[in-house]
Structures are given as C-alpha cells and as structure tokens.
Amino acid sequence: MAFPARFTLYSARELPYNTCPSMIHLRLRGCNRSILRFLKSRPNGTRNISSLSLSSSAAKPYYITTPIFYPNAAPHIGHLYSLVAADVFARYERLRRGSNDVRFLAGTDEHGMKIQKAARVHFGQIGREKEFCDALSERFRDLSEKANISNTCFMRTTSQEHRRTVEDVWRRLDGKGFIYKGKYEGWYSITDECFYTDAQVTTDPSGTQKVSVETGAVVEWTSEENYMFRLSAFRDALRKHYITDHRSVQPSQYREDVLRMLGDDVLEDISISRPRSRLEWGVQVPADPSQTVYVWFDALLIYLTGAGYPDKSFWPADLQVIGKDILRFHAIYLPAILLGLSTPHSYSPASPQVPAPQTPAMPLAHTLLSHAHWTSGQKKMSKSLGNVADPLEVMDEWGVDVVRYYMMRVGGKWRDDADWSTEQLEKHHNEIQSLLGNYFLRITSKALRAIVEKASPDPKECLSAAAQGRHIPPIETPKEEHNWDTNTALLRDVFDLPSKFHACMNNFEAGKALEHIVEVLSQANLVLTTNAPWATPKSDDVAEVKRHANFALGTRVVGLETLRVVAGCLEPFMPDISNKVQEALGVEGGVLRLDAVANRDFSGGERLEEFWARWKGMEVQSIKLFGPRRGNIVKEIVKKRKSA
RNA sequence: GGCGGCGUAGCUCAGCUGGUCAGAGCGGGGAUCUCAUAAGUCCCAGGUCGGAGGUUCGAGUCCUCCCGCCGCCA
C-alpha cells in the first residue's frame, strides 16, 4: 500500500481506512490524481470512504453542496440536474484554482416517516430501516458515479457522525434558549409528513374527510407536544443579510422571493421535533427520549457534518445548489440555525431580535444557487402522469456528457422551468456533435494534413502571425482564397473566450457560458468553410503552392488552438469529451488552468509553446467524440403528428 | 384572498434606464460546397410584441384596467 503522499485520518477514530466497513474520513495533503485513481482502483472503490478532501493550499477549500436526496423515490431527472449543476461549478473551481482543493458534498436524507413506513412495509417488521436505506441510498450513489459527478463525499443522515452533529447543534441552541417546548396543533397528514393550517385543507369531494388542498392527502386534526425553534428571533438579522448581500441567492429573483418570505408580518417559530411514539426513525432529542428530531432540522445539518463539524475548516459553504422547492429551508431555516449557533447571546424576551454577530462562528453560506424544475410536456413530472424520465436510461442511450450538456444548455439559466423531451435532447446532441465533434474531424482530417505537410512555418509562427494579422510570407494585398483575416478574427474570439467564460461562471451563468462556447465553435466552422484549405491552389506557381500550404497550415493550427481553448472551457460541462479532445491535442493530463488557456502575447507561456511546438507535423488523431447521430426520432414524431 | 412574476415568429427564448426593437437559435422550405467516422455554408419567417385604454413628439419597453398562465404566502 505504498502511498505517494502523506495522509492523516480526519475523524476522531483511528481506524485504518482500508479496514473500516463504512465511514472513513480521509484528509490528504499535497496529493494528486494518482491517489484518487489508486483509491478508486481498490475493490470497493471509494465507497467506504465517506469523505475525502484533497488539500494543497492554506486557503479554505472551496465547499460546494448538492441537496441531499430523499431516497424513497427513485432517482429522477431533477436529482441529476442538481448534481450536474453542482458538479459544473466544482469542476470549474478546480480549474480556476488549479488544484483539487474542492470539497463537494452529495448525499441522502434518510430519516422520517415515509422511510419508516416504507421499510416496515418492505420487510414486514420493524427495526430494519438502516438496511432499507442502505439499498436506497446506493441508487443515488450510483447515479452520481454514472453521471461523472466529482463529489468528494457522500453523506448520509443516518451516519453516526451526523447524529453527533444534530445532538450537538441541538444542545447549543437549547442552551441559548432558542428551543422551547410548545404545543402544536393542526391538520396533520401522514403521507405528507407535515401539518397544515385551516386554510390549507379542504373537505374532499365525498365529504367524509379533510384533505390537503395542495397534495390531496388525507389529514386529521392532531395535537401534540413539540419542541419549537425560535425562528422569529432571527428575522431581522436574516433580512439584513439578504438585503445587503446581493450574491447570497442566485439567480437574483430568488433572493427577492426570500426577502418577500421574510417581509411577511411575522416569522413564525417552527416545530422541530415529533413524538417518538409516532416517529422513531430519526435522531432522538438529547435528554428527551419521548421526542425525535424532525427530519428537516436533521437533514439541513448534513452540510455541517459534511464540513467536518464541529471542525470548521471547510465551513462556510461557498456554494449550495438547491431546487427552488427547498429554498425556504436553505435560505431561512438553516441560516437561522447558524445565527443561533454563532450568537454569543442567549434568547431574551426583552430583546426578541437576535443581531448577527460581527464575526460569526458559523457564517452563512456564501451563495445559494436555486434552480427551477424540469417539466415534461410542460407538466410536472410525476409517476401518475407517467412522464418521468429515468436519468440512468437516458445517459445510457445518449451518453453522459451529452445529457450534461443538454441540461446545462437548456437549464443553465436556472430560473425558468425547462421542458424535458427526447426531441430536445436529440437536437442538442446533434448541435454539439456537429459543432465540436464534426469540427474536430474536419480539422484533423487526413486530406488537410496532406496539404499542410508542404508548409514551412511552425505552429507557433502561424498562431503568432494570425494573432497579429500577418501573412506568411508577408504580402501587401492577399488573394481572396488565402486571406488570413478570417483566422485572425477567429483567433481573437478564441482568446476572448476564457475571460467571457470566467465572467459568466463567476455570476453562476452556466447557460450563458455555454452560449459563448457555442458561438466560437459556430464561427470556427464558418471560418473553415470560408478558408477551404483543402482546395487546390489556383496556380501551379511554386510560390503560390507554398503560400497555399502555409495558409492551410495556419487555418489548421488556428483550428487546433480553437479546439484546445474550447475543450479547456468545456471541461466542467463535458469532462469526458473535453479530456478526449485535450488528449488528442497533446495537452498533458487533460487538466489545464483556465488562466493559461489563452496567451495573447505569445510570451512567457512555456506550456503553451510546448504543445504548439508539438503540433508541428503531429498527427492529431481523428477520433469519434460522440455516438451516432440521431436523425430519426424527430422525423418519426413529426410523421406521427401529421398522420394523426 | 394577498404579494410577485410571466404572456414577443410553429417551438425555446433575447430585447438594460421608452426613440435602427420587431430579433436569435431550433424546426420547416430552398440553394450550394465537398475537408468531415457524425457534415458544413448561404437564402427564406411579414409575428396587430395577450387584450383595451392612457402618458409621451414617440412604447414589447412606463401607468391603469381586463384576460390567461405560474410561483410564494394566507
């Protein structure tokens, strides 16, 4: 077990990682991909490592989270969407930092009534919830692996360490008076696991029972003792935070939604426990065996557990990707809890609003990225409508990267519900295949290479000439058939791409970032057609033939450079495709820092010059980047429609 | 019921503080080159910018009302 780097056990328990059955945290310093590869090659892969952090700098690692999924339902497109969105930013951050200093949490939310009930139905006996969850949770781990999500840990709310987090947070809040015992009354729905107010229930058509207006679930009037959390005490502090911090919630419309939620008359305290008699599958309230911590309180704290709580070296989260349906929990409840943990004061009725501390022990997450949902046929996906797409199947059929591309290209604006359809998926498959895959083949074709062999300059000269608007050899009035201006224009846009790309990603505009990439690729295809470097020279004159060969080489090298930069930017979105291109171009390791992607002045970029040099006479292998083009699905659908 | 948002070419949508704003992409139709294992390129959309009023020299762009969707809250 020779390890090329030092590692330290991160959890309190001194268990060697290779013998621990389930929960190990490793913190590896100064290590590289080979360790990850090594770990993944082990029989269990990374599965018995619940957290792995690679750290190479003193700065706080970037911490990004996805929602943790309730595993009772099968993985669907929405889960994949959250995962991919977070993965794009995780991978982007690695590129930007030029290191793997990113902690990326995914996981499952496993407590609660639904699971308890389902497990009992499944096994026909009680007490086997954990076993039940093990299987369910695995499906989400599979989804993440299949989709090439680069999460560094997969946390489950049923883990021991998480229980300790929940208990500790509870005690601290309780110690400061933010938790009190209250009587809770309302219309309770067992299926929805929540209480409704009078206005939220109605009598069902048969007139025999009350049901929830929203879900139609049967409700019954229930009264019980609960522990309450003083959410109301944090309203002012939260409002201030969201008014001041414009990056706090993205896209901005959701920040306005949050402010609206906080702007209502009063922020009600919320119930955070359930009688244990009804809910056993959950964390027991410290020092009160009759109550179980309510699931959402439990679940939200996973982000702290994932950050190593009570250790704070990863906290706060830099980015929390969530669906808009859980905005309230992440924008109000969790921050209120964090404020409660941070404040040095205890609750006092005399000053019911708790101010946010100057230097909070547990700061709020920097940014919440809230995304909309996927619909199908403009309707919510639901089992009853039978319009639920299976993400695993879809990835099998279309390829992981194509699905990722589609999701981010269409759903990368985050704010509007996007419609999922095979037609659209096919269109986007064809789009990227043509723009990138086909362009790659065009640039690397044998025919073009044959022409280029007669050229004299080296790739660096070509790029330098194109960048500066020169011709090789120099000429006063270039002929139309080999005018380098098109190359110059393309190269300028290629060099502009990374900064545009950075600007978008920095604003969490993934869709727009992809748009810029698509624009460059479109232009590249156009330039290639315009230049037609494969055309036979119009004159037999030796100098003309030579000039043409040079022009063809210039066009080809600018094309290769376009591919290199595009592939670099595309890496967060389509990691596999991107790496294929980068490997073919001779970009070592498939990793390229974005700040090194473009080197406008052609000086000091040693690495760049290295692979440019390599392109001289290099056989960049023509490879197929995508699966076969799909042309029939749309046509068939149209046919059906016409005949119907 | 309250608050907020949306309604622009067949589809998906751009249009910031009112004056080249009537657009892009896709689909569809036509043409064309041929380097491409998967093609590329060019041309073609006459949509009363949901409807009705109003402000203004001038409004998808501001105001009012109405219609239709969608969120959040009650």
Side-chain angles (χ1 to χ4, degrees):
Chain A
M1 208 195 43
F3 236 59
R6 287 165 44 219
F7 70 97
T8 53
L9 281 173
Y10 183 43
S11 75
R13 293 181 294 169
E14 295 269 319
L15 292 169
Y17 81 99
N18 58 338
T19 58
C20 178
S22 59
M23 287 299 161
I24 283 287
H25 287 266
L26 283 182
R27 172 186 258 176
L28 303 168
R29 291 205 167 272
C31 61
N32 52 36
R33 294 187 157 216
S34 63
I35 290 180
L36 261 182
R37 238 179 274 132
F38 170 78
L39 290 171
K40 283 190 171 163
S41 70
R42 294 161 59 249
N44 288 327
T46 52
R47 293 208 162 198
N48 57 358
I49 296 169
S50 96
S51 104
L52 178 66
S53 68
L54 308 178
S55 143
S56 62
S57 73
K60 184 185 101 59
Y62 192 82
Y63 183 35
I64 181 169
T65 69
T66 65
I68 52 169
F69 304 128
Y70 204 71
N72 201 19
H76 55 71
I77 294 298
H79 297 124
L80 182 59
Y81 186 36
S82 293
L83 287 170
V84 170
D87 190 48
V88 164
F89 288 103
R91 287 178 184 274
Y92 170 71
E93 196 57 32
R94 291 191 190 100
L95 282 182
R96 203 179 65 77
R97 293 185 172 218
S99 84
N100 282 332
D101 219 8
V102 171
R103 184 172 180 79
F104 178 5
L105 174 143
T108 42
D109 168 16
E110 304 177 5
H111 286 134
M113 281 298 271
K114 278 186 212 165
I115 295 280
Q116 178 176 299
K117 278 168 70 177
R120 288 174 187 187
V121 167
H122 185 258
F123 287 114
Q125 62 184 107
I126 60 169
R128 295 176 69 178
E129 287 87 356
K130 185 65 173 30
E131 191 181 340
F132 188 60
C133 288
D134 286 347
L136 295 182
S137 177
E138 197 68 6
R139 296 189 298 182
F140 287 87
R141 215 183 254 258
D142 286 344
L143 177 69
S144 163
E145 269 181 29
K146 174 97 185 190
N148 206 358
I149 306 301
S150 63
N151 55 304
T152 57
C153 61
F154 189 91
M155 304 295 296
R156 301 174 54 186
T157 53
T158 49
S159 68
Q160 287 303 305
E161 64 211 318
H162 181 61
R163 184 174 53 76
R164 284 192 290 271
T165 303
V166 174
E167 288 168 352
D168 188 74
V169 169
W170 184 288
R171 283 198 198 94
R172 283 171 195 264
L173 294 177
D174 192 29
K176 292 180 193 173
F178 294 125
I179 292 177
Y180 63 95
K181 219 166 191 182
K183 189 177 174 190
Y184 198 85
E185 279 184 318
W187 296 99
Y188 186 77
S189 158
I190 295 175
T191 36
D192 297 342
E193 278 188 65
C194 64
F195 278 92
Y196 292 108
T197 60
D198 280 333
Q200 288 173 304
V201 299
T202 183
T203 310
D204 79 336
S206 69
T208 52
Q209 52 192 5
K210 291 274 190 181
V211 294
S212 156
V213 173
E214 198 191 334
T215 65
V218 178
V219 297
E220 48 192 75
W221 186 255
T222 311
S223 167
E224 61 186 28
E225 252 195 356
N226 279 182
Y227 285 99
M228 306 291 286
F229 173 62
R230 285 195 200 279
L231 187 64
S232 56
F234 302 98
R235 185 190 141 178
D236 289 0
L238 289 173
R239 271 184 67 84
K240 192 178 167 199
H241 173 249
Y242 288 115
I243 287 170
T244 324
D245 188 347
H246 289 227
R247 264 178 92 81
S248 54
V249 185
Q250 296 288 331
S252 58
Q253 80 176 59
Y254 290 114
R255 189 176 127 260
E256 285 158 27
D257 284 347
V258 171
L259 279 169
R260 225 167 278 127
M261 290 178 206
L262 291 167
D264 294 344
D265 309 334
V266 225
L267 198 53
E268 301 273 343
D269 290 342
I270 41 177
S271 160
I272 52 170
S273 76
R274 289 288 176 270
R276 201 150 185 81
S277 56
R278 211 173 64 226
L279 177 62
E280 283 177 58
W281 184 235
V283 179
Q284 182 203 298
V285 169
D288 186 349
S290 75
Q291 292 275 318
T292 304
V293 176
Y294 193 33
V295 275
W296 69 256
F297 185 90
D298 167 357
L300 285 170
L301 297 178
I302 196 77
Y303 305 118
L304 301 186
T305 308
Y309 184 89
D311 181 284
K312 296 185 199 69
S313 49
F314 295 104
W315 195 260
D318 292 275
L319 183 62
Q320 294 201 275
V321 173
I322 58 168
K324 63 179 180 180
D325 53 311
I326 51 176
L327 181 58
R328 188 182 189 80
F329 292 92
H330 290 74
I332 297 179
Y333 296 174
L334 178 59
I337 292 170
L338 293 168
L339 287 169
L341 288 174
S342 293
T343 184
H345 309 291
S346 290
Y347 177 75
S348 132
S351 54
Q353 284 297 316
V354 177
Q358 286 293 316
T359 50
M362 296 301 289
L364 310 193
H366 288 143
T367 301
L368 277 175
L369 178 63
S370 173
H371 62 65
H373 297 309
W374 286 91
T375 56
S376 180
Q378 310 293 344
K379 286 176 185 151
K380 253 184 196 171
M381 288 195 190
S382 73
K383 271 188 210 159
S384 51
L385 286 173
N387 61 353
V388 182
D390 177 353
L392 294 172
E393 245 171 50
V394 170
M395 286 189 287
D396 270 339
E397 192 180 343
W398 295 91
V400 171
D401 278 2
V402 166
V403 174
R404 291 172 60 115
Y405 177 76
Y406 170 54
M407 289 194 134
M408 292 299 104
R409 182 106 165 89
V410 176
K413 279 186 299 198
W414 317 122
R415 42 195 176 81
D416 301 312
D417 282 358
D419 200 55
W420 180 275
S421 76
T422 309
E423 282 175 85
Q424 285 295 322
L425 184 49
E426 178 184 324
K427 278 180 201 165
H428 286 87
H429 170 267
N430 292 352
E431 174 184 69
I432 193 63
Q433 186 192 49
S434 302
L435 285 173
L436 178 62
N438 190 54
Y439 182 68
F440 182 79
L441 292 179
R442 297 178 83 189
I443 284 293
T444 59
S445 76
K446 277 179 191 150
L448 182 52
R449 206 186 308 141
I451 292 170
V452 155
E453 272 166 12
K454 297 170 199 146
S456 53
D458 71 21
K460 192 195 164 191
E461 270 180 80
C462 287
L463 285 169
S464 167
Q468 295 159 17
R470 289 187 286 111
H471 290 63
I472 302 178
I475 187 167
E476 278 297 319
T477 47
K479 287 185 182 166
E480 201 181 315
E481 66 265 26
H482 28 74
N483 189 331
W484 285 60
D485 291 353
T486 48
N487 288 331
T488 302
L490 173 58
L491 201 56
R492 190 183 53 233
D493 287 351
V494 166
F495 287 159
D496 281 345
L497 179 60
S499 60
K500 285 184 187 169
F501 185 79
H502 276 304
C504 291
M505 295 303 281
N506 192 41
N507 289 326
F508 309 101
E509 297 172 312
K512 206 168 161 191
L514 276 178
E515 261 175 52
H516 286 306
I517 293 175
V518 165
E519 270 169 29
V520 167
L521 283 171
S522 298
Q523 202 206 336
N525 272 294
L526 177 56
V527 165
L528 190 53
T529 302
T530 310
N531 286 2
W534 51 83
T536 40
K538 286 187 178 171
S539 149
D540 289 342
D541 178 63
V542 178
E544 274 307 290
V545 171
K546 183 90 180 194
R547 178 175 287 283
H548 179 76
N550 289 350
F551 176 62
L553 177 64
T555 301
R556 182 177 130 101
V557 170
V558 168
L560 290 173
E561 180 64 4
T562 301
L563 285 166
R564 185 182 69 80
V565 173
V566 163
C569 292
L570 217 42
E571 192 171 329
F573 294 90
M574 308 179 80
D576 194 46
I577 299 277
S578 165
N579 284 335
K580 273 186 188 167
V581 174
Q582 296 193 43
E583 269 171 39
L585 296 177
V587 181
E588 267 179 8
V591 179
L592 194 55
R593 287 186 58 161
L594 284 176
D595 56 13
V597 161
N599 191 353
R600 203 181 281 274
D601 62 2
F602 293 90
S603 62
E606 272 179 44
R607 274 187 81 188
L608 280 183
E609 292 188 15
E610 253 175 57
F611 21 80
W612 285 337
R614 216 173 305 167
W615 289 346
K616 181 169 191 172
M618 173 177 173
E619 268 197 43
V620 177
Q621 215 186 348
S622 281
I623 49 164
K624 231 174 163 165
L625 296 175
F626 298 90
R629 186 181 180 87
R630 321 287 182 118
N632 301 323
I633 294 174
V634 170
K635 281 175 191 164
E636 276 168 24
I637 290 169
V638 171
K639 254 188 205 170
K640 269 184 203 166
R641 278 186 194 159
K642 278 181 180 168
S643 63

